[in-house]
Amino acid sequence: GISQNDADDTRKFAKHFALTFPMLLDLEDDGFIASTDYGISSVPTMYTIDAEGNIANVMEGWLKTDMEKLGVIRPDDNVPAWKSG
């Protein structure tokens, strides 16, 4: 994962959602290097990667049903149904 938040906020977010994958800090002070390299123009943006390592899907913004299908959140999590990127 790539987080544009500081280390403390990123840790809290990962703990709240029980995320166990590595999180890269991509900070504004450094020029959002990773986000720029991946062409991210809105946050959140989520990529799914297929077995061959290719980008299979790109989701910009927040759609709760997409996140539930991916297993990122649980149906009973108190999160908005939609939020623009």
Side-chain angles (χ1 to χ4, degrees), residues 4-80:
Q4 293 182 341
N5 297 338
D6 65 35
D8 190 48
D9 286 345
T10 300
R11 249 188 312 279
K12 289 176 185 174
F13 179 86
K15 183 176 181 179
H16 177 80
F17 289 104
L19 303 177
T20 59
F21 53 83
M23 300 288 281
L24 170 76
L25 298 181
D26 190 30
L27 304 176
E28 182 175 14
D29 289 347
D30 298 330
F32 296 126
I33 295 169
S35 298
T36 301
D37 284 352
Y38 280 93
I40 295 172
S41 59
S42 63
V43 176
T45 296
M46 182 174 285
Y47 297 88
T48 54
I49 310 298
D50 67 20
E52 289 79 38
N54 301 306
I55 296 173
N57 194 10
V58 178
M59 293 164 282
E60 294 181 322
W62 176 266
L63 189 58
K64 184 178 180 180
T65 55
D66 285 347
M67 300 304 140
E68 288 173 355
K69 288 177 194 172
L70 290 172
V72 175
I73 63 169
R74 298 172 296 269
D76 60 338
D77 282 338
N78 185 22
V79 297

